[in-house]
């Protein structure tokens, strides 16, 4: 899947320096400049409004300096990665104490800029992957005219029923708007396994696996009366998953 563009804000009170950096960033197709700012207050306002992924930030600016802006950014729910672009090398230690992801000295070296952008790309990809695989505390499902919040370990299995996905526990049946594939991704950190194109099972609930027909099997789950089909192509991988 193609990576999303890196939404970037450029902040520098010197017009020439700002334009030079914007020119250099134009050679990087992964960079999408969403705004520019010429003062500390303008930078803080645009940072909050635009929610950029990346902020190129000068140290010495009127109204509010770069370190103050970086301190504000740390309080954001999703703070941007900050790269300082400055003519003052003596601020490097303070910048990295503020968790800056880069420190570029003017005039900006194109090679160093490319290396910094590549590092930011890697960090954004890692952040996205962590967010994607973060275990859900509770799964929101619908049932009995109310929204219920299920602990993943309480779910015995889920299946696709025409245009909806059903979620089954030992105490009830619920519905979610997620597709079975989306649900499988959400539950990936837990002990769930796809046993059929239409069924996802909590392997911790499996008590029996019985032969059915044509190499297929059926599962018996703890506290569940239903028998869950296992396609023959999934039998061997499932056994590898659950057997010691």
């Amino acid at each position: 899947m193609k990576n999303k563009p890196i939404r970037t804000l450029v902040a520098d009170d010197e017009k020439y320096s700002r334009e030079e950096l914007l020119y250099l960033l134009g050679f990087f197709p992964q960079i999408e400049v969403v705004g520019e700012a010429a003062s500390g207050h303008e930078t803080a306002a645009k940072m909050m409004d635009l929610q950029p992924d990346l902020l190129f930030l000068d140290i010495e600016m009127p109204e509010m300096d770069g370190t103050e802006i970086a301190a504000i950014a740390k309080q954001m729910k999703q703070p941007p990665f900050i790269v300082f672009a400055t003519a003052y090398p003596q601020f490097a230690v303070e910048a990295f104490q503020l968790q800056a992801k880069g420190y570029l000295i003017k005039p900006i070296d194109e090679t160093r800029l490319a290396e910094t952008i590549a590092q930011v790309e890697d960090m954004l990809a890692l952040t996205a992957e962590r967010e994607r695989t973060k275990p859900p505390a509770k799964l929101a499902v619908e049932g009995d005219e109310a929204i219920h919040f299920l602990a993943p370990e309480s779910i015995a299995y889920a299946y696709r029923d025409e245009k909806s996905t059903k979620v089954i526990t030992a105490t009830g049946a619920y519905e979610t708007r997620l597709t079975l594939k989306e649900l499988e991704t959400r539950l990936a950190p837990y002990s769930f396994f796809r046993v059929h194109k239409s069924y996802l099972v909590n392997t911790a609930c499996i008590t029996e696996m019985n032969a059915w027909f044509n190499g297929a099997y059926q599962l018996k789950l703890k506290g569940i009366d239903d028998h869950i089909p296992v396609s023959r192509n999934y039998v061997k991988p499932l056994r590898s998953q659950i057997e010691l």
Side-chain angles (χ1 to χ4, degrees):
M1 185 174 70
K2 185 178 179 180
N3 291 333
K4 294 169 58 178
I6 302 173
R7 302 180 69 258
T8 303
L9 175 63
V10 175
D12 196 315
D13 64 312
E14 296 179 1
K15 185 173 184 292
Y16 173 78
S17 296
R18 198 167 64 249
E19 289 178 347
E20 180 185 27
L21 179 53
L22 290 169
Y23 171 77
L24 293 174
L25 292 175
F27 290 99
F28 297 89
Q30 66 270 50
I31 294 290
E32 177 189 359
V33 176
V34 295
E36 54 183 288
S39 71
H41 288 166
E42 184 182 16
T43 301
K46 287 193 174 182
M47 181 174 65
M48 296 295 183
D49 181 48
L50 298 172
Q51 298 287 309
D53 304 311
L54 174 61
L55 170 60
F56 283 96
L57 183 59
D58 190 15
I59 294 280
E60 291 289 316
M61 289 200 299
E63 301 170 350
M64 188 186 305
D65 68 29
T67 59
E68 291 177 286
I69 295 167
I72 292 172
K74 287 177 65 176
Q75 307 305 315
M76 295 172 62
K77 184 177 180 180
Q78 292 184 311
F81 289 123
I82 293 178
V83 173
F84 284 104
T86 178
Y88 303 97
Q90 67 267 30
F91 292 110
V93 173
E94 185 176 3
F96 285 111
Q97 287 175 342
L98 290 165
Q99 301 178 351
K101 305 305 179 184
Y103 196 92
L104 301 175
I105 302 298
K106 300 175 184 177
I108 293 173
D109 179 78
E110 295 178 29
T111 300
R112 286 285 297 118
L113 178 61
E115 291 172 351
T116 299
I117 290 173
Q119 290 170 359
V120 170
E121 278 190 290
D122 290 343
M123 289 184 287
L124 282 169
L126 181 59
T127 300
E129 179 64 17
R130 285 174 176 169
E131 186 65 27
R132 186 185 70 81
T133 59
K134 184 170 64 176
K138 298 281 186 177
L139 180 71
V141 294
E142 299 174 10
D144 300 329
E145 299 183 354
I147 296 175
H148 301 261
F149 296 93
L150 304 178
E153 57 270 20
S154 72
I155 300 170
Y157 73 98
Y159 68 98
R160 191 68 180 173
D161 179 25
E162 295 182 353
K163 295 184 179 181
S164 66
T165 302
K166 307 293 185 182
V167 177
I168 310 300
T169 72
T171 57
Y174 307 91
E175 186 172 309
T176 174
R177 296 178 183 179
L178 298 173
T179 66
L180 198 63
K181 180 62 178 175
E182 290 170 336
L183 185 59
E184 183 179 15
T185 299
R186 293 278 186 96
L187 296 174
Y190 299 92
S191 55
F192 285 80
F193 193 84
R194 181 74 76 99
V195 297
H196 183 281
K197 68 178 182 178
S198 300
Y199 284 83
L200 181 67
V201 167
N202 185 348
T203 59
C205 295
I206 297 174
T207 58
E208 294 180 15
M209 185 164 69
N210 302 305
W212 194 16
F213 68 93
N214 290 338
Y217 281 73
Q218 287 186 327
L219 296 176
K220 180 67 178 169
L221 306 180
K222 182 180 179 180
I224 300 294
D225 293 333
D226 304 325
H227 289 82
I228 312 303
V230 182
S231 299
R232 60 183 180 180
N233 292 337
Y234 291 94
V235 172
K236 188 174 180 180
L238 175 61
R239 293 191 61 174
S240 297
Q241 181 82 5
I242 63 177
E243 292 180 3
L244 292 175

